[in-house]
Structure formats: structure tokens, C-alpha cells
């Protein structure tokens, strides 16, 4: 007798947060003067052809967690989003999550979620560079690709999918203000590609350990999270910005130094004063690729060679002890 094993039905979750993928413009040719975060995620999903094929009989749950232009992303939204992810990931029948997000701060949200979630299951962020009303919007394909990646048995941890490429939360970075393929994983290269509905990995996909303070972050009201700012060293950098921030109560400063982590002397002096007054200071480079080699300044280096904005996220978490 032949035993037919029935496939266990799984559930997949799509969480909406807004962005250009949910944006609308007055004309189909307008790619820039649009308003982000206008359409609900349920509407985006209902207009998406090919979902049933990707799901292969599994079920889909859709939830609007926020509706904003990601340039305005804030701690309260991060906390709400992480708690919803935590809730869904804990359900045994849930196989993974897709999050629709604006492109502007996608890399910061990806790194934040990677740091606070115990995400052995995939959490895949996706986005669009053109609004949903464009003649040829990129959102629907990105969304379908993100679902395809979330559904892949090798997918783990927090990932980003855009323009057919899969990026890790650690490496993903927005590198272009307009083109559809706006993200890069820099020297590391993408984790993989989505081609004609098939995933091709460039190597193994791992879910790194979350930050040691992950549980504290989600339990503490977002309004009480420490204040961290990102500064850049540049020609004519003025130390008064550091002193003003310290006087106003900043708790952490990330400085994106020039080149191999060099810092304008006036800024460096003020940062040393800030450190002496108990402000946590971390140094990274403003270079788009690579990371600081050696110890160029008397400032603590940011971990993992993170870019300035992700270093800000890590410092925020470090300060939650
Ligand atoms: N400003 C938009 C956002 O980040 C840009 C985009 O989604 O492409 O929400």
C-alpha cells in the first residue's frame, strides 16, 4: 500500500509598515512626487498575482503594524514591530514573516530586528523604489520575491529582498536614491538572488545570535530608550555640536570618521570631553565600503565594522544594560 504523506499546512505573515511600496502619486509617470504609506498591506497583497503559487496551499495572515514614510521611523514603531514579530514567530504554525517597509531606513530596521529577535525562522523585509501607482511599479515583484525567500527552507534570520537580490541585515545598505536596485551588501556581496521564482543562495544563510539586552529592549517603554546621535567628521567640523548634544542630555554618540577612522581634531577633543562626562562614544568610518583597520583614534570602535546608522542601533542596545 502506498502511504501518501500530506504536507503540513503552514502560515505566513505579512506585516505592513508603509513606505513607497504603499505609496501613491497623482500620475503614473511620477516616481518622486508621491506620498508614501497610503495603501494598506491587505490591499497590496490582494492585488498581488502569483501569491497562491508561492504559498502552495499554505495560509497567509496580513497585519498593518504601522503606516509611515520610513524616513520618520521611530523607536515606538520599532518596538511595536519587534513585538508583533516576536508574537508571530512564537506560533508553531508560522513559517516566517515578510515586512513591507520604506527603503530609507530599511537597513536600520533590519539590523534592529536582527539584534532583538531570536529569529531562527525568516523575517524578510521588502520595499519599493517606485510608488504603487507607477506605470511599472517594482513593489509587487519585490513582495512576491520576499515571500518566495521567506518560504525557502534555507532562509533564516532577518533578511532584505529588493530587485532580485537577498541581503543580510548585517550588510544591507541603501546606496542609490533613485534606481530600482537601490541596495548593496558592499564587499560581502548579496546572500543570494531570486530568479524566475527560484532562490539561488551564494552561501549558507545563518541567523546570528541576538544582542545580550534583546529582552530588556522590548520590555522597556520606547520613550525611555537612551538618546543616541550619529555625527560625521568633515572639513570644518565644529565641536559645538558635540557640546550642545552633551548639554542636552545625549547618552551615546556614533562618529563616522574620515577614511580609516580619522576625526577632525576639534571634534576629537570635544568627543574626548564627552566621554569623560560619561557619554558613550563609538567610532566608525564614513567610507561606503570596508571597515577601520587598527586603532586610529582614542575612541572605541563600533563592533563588526557596522556603518554609522547600524552602529547607532547597536549603541542604543548596549546602553540598555
Ligand atoms: N521615503 C520612502 C520611505 O522610506 C522611500 C521609499 O520607501 O523608497 O518610506
Amino acid at each position: 500500500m502506498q502511504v501518501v504523506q500530506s504536507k503540513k499546512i503552514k502560515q505566513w505573515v505579512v506585516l505592513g509598515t508603509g513606505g513607497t511600496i504603499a505609496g501613491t502619486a497623482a500620475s503614473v509617470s511620477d516616481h518622486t512626487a508621491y506620498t508614501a504609506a497610503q495603501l494598506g498591506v491587505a490591499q497590496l497583497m490582494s492585488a498581488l498575482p502569483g501569491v497562491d503559487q508561492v504559498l502552495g496551499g499554505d495560509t497567509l495572515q496580513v497585519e498593518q503594524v504601522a503606516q509611515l514614510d520610513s524616513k520618520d521611523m521611530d523607536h515606538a514603531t520599532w518596538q511595536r514591530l519587534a513585538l508583533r514579530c516576536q508574537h508571530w514567530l512564537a506560533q508553531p504554525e508560522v513559517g516566517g514573516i515578510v515586512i513591507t517597509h520604506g527603503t530609507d531606513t530599511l537597513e536600520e530596521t533590519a539590523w534592529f530586528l536582527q539584534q532583538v529577535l531570536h529569529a531562527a525562522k525568516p523575517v524578510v523585509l521588502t520595499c519599493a523604489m517606485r510608488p504603487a501607482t507607477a506605470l511599472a511599479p517594482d513593489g509587487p515583484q519585490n513582495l512576491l520575491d520576499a515571500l518566495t525567500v521567506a518560504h525557502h527552507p534555507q532562509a533564516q534570520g532577518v533578511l532584505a529582498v529588493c530587485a532580485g537580490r537577498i541581503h543580510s541585515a548585517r550588510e544591507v545598505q541603501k546606496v542609490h536614491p533613485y534606481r530600482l536596485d537601490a541596495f548593496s551588501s558592499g564587499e560581502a556581496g548579496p546572500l543570494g538572488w531570486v530568479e524566475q521564482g527560484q532562490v539561488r543562495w551564494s552561501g549558507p544563510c545563518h541567523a546570528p545570535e541576538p544582542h545580550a539586552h534583546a529582552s530588556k529592549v522590548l520590555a522597556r517603554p520606547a520613550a525611555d530608550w537612551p538618546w543616541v546621535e550619529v555625527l560625521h567628521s568633515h572639513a570644518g567640523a565644529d565641536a559645538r555640536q558635540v557640546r550642545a548634544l552633551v548639554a542636552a542630555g545625549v547618552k551615546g554618540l556614533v562618529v563616522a570618521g574620515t577614511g580609516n577612522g580619522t576625526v577632525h581634531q576639534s571634534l576629537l577633543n570635544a568627543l574626548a570631553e564627552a566621554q569623560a562626562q560619561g557619554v558613550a562614544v563609538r567610532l566608525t568610518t564614513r567610507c561606503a565600503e570596508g571597515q577601520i583597520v587598527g586603532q586610529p583614534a582614542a575612541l572605541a570602535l563600533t563592533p563588526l565594522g557596522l556603518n554609522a546608522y547600524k552602529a547607532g542601533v547597536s549603541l542604543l542596545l548596549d546602553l540598555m544594560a
Side-chain angles (χ1 to χ4, degrees):
M1 191 180 75
Q2 199 189 357
V3 179
V4 180
Q5 247 185 351
S6 63
K7 173 181 170 277
K8 217 161 174 216
I9 306 282
K10 279 206 159 167
Q11 190 172 60
W12 304 85
V13 180
V14 181
L15 304 179
T17 71
T20 297
I21 191 166
T24 57
S27 125
V28 294
S29 57
D30 207 336
H31 294 166
T32 55
Y34 59 86
T35 311
Q38 296 303 298
L39 306 178
V41 65
Q43 200 176 341
L44 298 183
M45 289 309 299
S46 65
L48 191 64
V51 182
D52 291 345
Q53 249 168 296
V54 175
L55 291 176
D58 289 348
T59 61
L60 196 69
Q61 185 77 32
V62 176
E63 183 180 316
Q64 194 77 46
V65 175
Q67 187 65 306
L68 47 70
D69 184 320
S70 82
K71 74 178 176 59
D72 299 322
M73 186 51 71
D74 54 37
H75 293 169
T77 308
W78 269 356
Q79 188 176 45
R80 195 160 62 246
L81 180 61
L83 288 170
R84 292 315 291 157
C85 288
Q86 201 177 49
H87 163 82
W88 287 114
L89 292 171
Q91 315 298 317
E93 70 279 11
V94 169
I97 299 176
V98 168
I99 300 172
T100 55
H101 198 285
T103 58
D104 287 344
T105 57
L106 181 143
E107 68 205 62
E108 289 160 73
T109 299
W111 184 242
F112 172 75
L113 293 176
Q114 178 67 80
Q115 291 287 279
V116 300
L117 296 175
H118 293 259
K121 296 176 186 175
V123 175
V124 184
L125 287 98
T126 195
C127 55
M129 290 299 286
R130 289 182 183 162
T133 47
L135 188 60
D138 53 330
Q141 186 66 58
N142 286 343
L143 193 44
L144 205 62
D145 287 352
L147 268 173
T148 303
V149 171
H151 215 257
H152 194 277
Q154 247 174 273
Q156 290 195 354
V158 181
L159 306 169
V161 169
C162 182
R165 299 204 286 172
I166 310 166
H167 304 275
S168 69
R170 157 77 186 81
E171 303 294 345
V172 67
Q173 191 165 346
K174 188 172 181 184
V175 294
H176 202 282
Y178 185 78
R179 75 176 186 223
L180 301 187
D181 190 3
F183 290 87
S184 167
S185 286
E187 291 170 324
L191 266 183
W193 301 266
V194 191
E195 298 155 332
Q196 198 68 39
Q198 299 296 316
V199 177
R200 177 164 62 95
W201 299 101
S202 62
C205 176
H206 297 298
E209 281 298 301
H211 193 281
H213 303 155
S215 52
K216 287 189 190 124
V217 179
L218 297 187
R220 183 157 156 188
D224 296 343
W225 289 8
W227 179 19
V228 172
E229 285 294 331
V230 175
L231 307 176
H232 293 78
S233 187
H234 54 89
D238 194 319
R240 284 176 295 184
Q241 59 182 318
V242 177
R243 297 195 179 111
L245 284 165
V246 174
V250 79
K251 295 286 180 274
L253 290 171
V254 173
V255 58
T258 34
N260 192 38
T262 48
V263 180
H264 194 292
Q265 194 59 49
S266 66
L267 208 54
L268 193 57
N269 294 343
L271 289 167
E273 283 167 31
Q275 263 188 165
Q277 289 171 55
V279 175
V281 180
R282 298 280 185 280
L283 176 65
T284 186
T285 173
R286 67 180 209 184
C287 289
E289 294 194 354
Q291 59 187 69
I292 294 171
V293 179
Q295 182 68 47
L299 299 173
L301 296 185
T302 194
L304 306 168
L306 294 170
N307 75 21
Y309 314 105
K310 291 184 197 181
V313 172
S314 285
L315 182 52
L316 174 79
L317 302 181
D318 290 349
L319 289 171
M320 298 250 200

